[in-house]
């Protein structure tokens, strides 16, 4: 393993591209080596939901891999990482990972993460969920994935969407075992209530 911890970050086509961008920014400030892969639909969502250009997003990562590059380092289990976060994670990407029938580097890297027993965090961005979705999510959980929908924490008294995105990003990093000061911890009820 290299001196820096390596984290694979995937951005799929689900709504919530801001979460992926914030995670990349946070990793840069935490001095993590990031390997980014964005699905084709993820590229569209970034352009529709943010003011960032694809070039700007790619520049946030240490290494960018095209979704069609099945020969990339992150497609192999011999490439050591601490795991992978897909944020946001679409139902299509989740379904491919659950079945092991992967069609892009994004889902292949996730499959590799699972087979190597590394942490795979999927920030599923869909609601409502039908029974087929729930069965696939259960299957993924049984396979070792951590399912983390981007649900806001209101005990932090957020003042903006940015506050919500930052809190969730810190939570993702902590789940990956990376300490940070982005997420505020619950400190118990006030006034002994």
């Amino acid at each position: 393993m290299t001196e820096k911890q390596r984290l694979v970050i995937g951005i799929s086509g689900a709504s919530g591209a801001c979460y992926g961008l914030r995670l990349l920014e946070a990793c840069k400030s935490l001095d993590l080596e990031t390997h980014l892969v964005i699905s084709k639909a993820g590229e569209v969502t970034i352009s529709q939901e943010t003011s960032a250009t694809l070039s700007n997003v790619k520049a946030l990562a240490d290494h960018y891999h095209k979704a069609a590059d099945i020969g990339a380092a992150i497609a192999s289990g011999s490439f050591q990482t601490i795991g992978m976060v897909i944020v946001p994670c679409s139902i299509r990407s989740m379904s491919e990972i659950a079945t092991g029938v992967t069609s892009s580097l994004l889902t292949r890297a996730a499959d590799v993460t699972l087979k190597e027993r590394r942490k795979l965090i999927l920030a599923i961005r869909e609601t409502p969920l039908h029974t087929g979705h729930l069965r696939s999510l259960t299957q993924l959980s049984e396979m070792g994935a951590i399912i983390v929908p981007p649900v806001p924490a209101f005990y932090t008294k957020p003042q903006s969407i940015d506050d919500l995105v930052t809190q969730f990003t810190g939570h993702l990093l902590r789940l990956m075992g990376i300490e940070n000061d982005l997420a505020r911890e619950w400190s118990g009820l006030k006034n002994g209530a």
Side-chain angles (χ1 to χ4, degrees):
M1 189 112 167
T2 63
E3 288 183 25
K4 279 188 175 184
Q5 291 182 304
R6 291 177 178 154
L7 179 63
V8 180
I9 298 173
I11 299 176
S12 76
S15 183
C18 59
Y19 292 112
L21 276 60
R22 180 60 49 80
L23 182 59
L24 285 163
E25 291 166 351
C27 288
K28 193 172 271 302
S29 70
L30 293 168
D31 202 31
L32 294 165
E33 180 182 321
T34 53
H35 289 259
L36 174 65
V37 59
I38 306 170
S39 72
K40 290 285 185 195
E43 292 177 6
V44 173
T45 304
I46 288 168
S47 72
Q48 293 298 305
E49 293 185 350
T50 75
S51 59
T53 65
L54 197 52
S55 296
N56 296 139
V57 176
K58 291 176 184 178
L60 291 171
D62 293 299
H63 304 276
Y64 173 74
H65 307 279
K66 293 180 181 177
D69 185 5
I70 59 167
I74 62 174
S76 173
S78 66
F79 185 73
Q80 294 292 306
T81 71
I82 60 172
M84 180 175 186
V85 179
I86 302 180
V87 58
C89 184
S90 68
I91 290 298
R92 176 183 176 159
S93 295
M94 177 275 295
S95 299
E96 285 188 19
I97 300 162
T99 62
V101 181
T102 60
S103 67
S104 71
L105 180 60
L106 180 109
T107 53
R108 169 61 186 166
D111 190 61
V112 165
T113 301
L114 283 176
K115 82 175 183 68
E116 295 295 325
R117 304 297 193 259
R118 298 176 187 145
K119 284 188 181 179
L120 174 64
I121 298 174
L122 303 176
I124 299 297
R125 198 19 222 108
E126 185 64 70
T127 191
L129 299 166
H130 62 60
T131 305
H133 298 151
L134 295 169
R135 285 186 181 132
S136 294
L137 289 168
T138 298
Q139 184 176 334
L140 280 163
S141 180
E142 290 169 347
M143 291 162 53
I146 302 169
I147 311 301
V148 189
V151 177
F154 291 105
Y155 65 84
T156 62
K157 297 190 174 150
Q159 300 298 303
S160 66
I161 291 173
D162 187 64
D163 289 348
L164 295 171
V165 172
T166 298
Q167 174 74 19
F168 184 71
T169 300
H171 183 60
L172 290 175
L173 288 165
R174 285 195 179 146
L175 285 171
M176 191 54 71
I178 301 164
E179 282 306 311
N180 65 87
D181 60 3
L182 298 173
R184 288 183 34 215
E185 292 181 352
W186 170 250
S187 58
L189 295 175
K190 295 179 184 176
N191 304 325

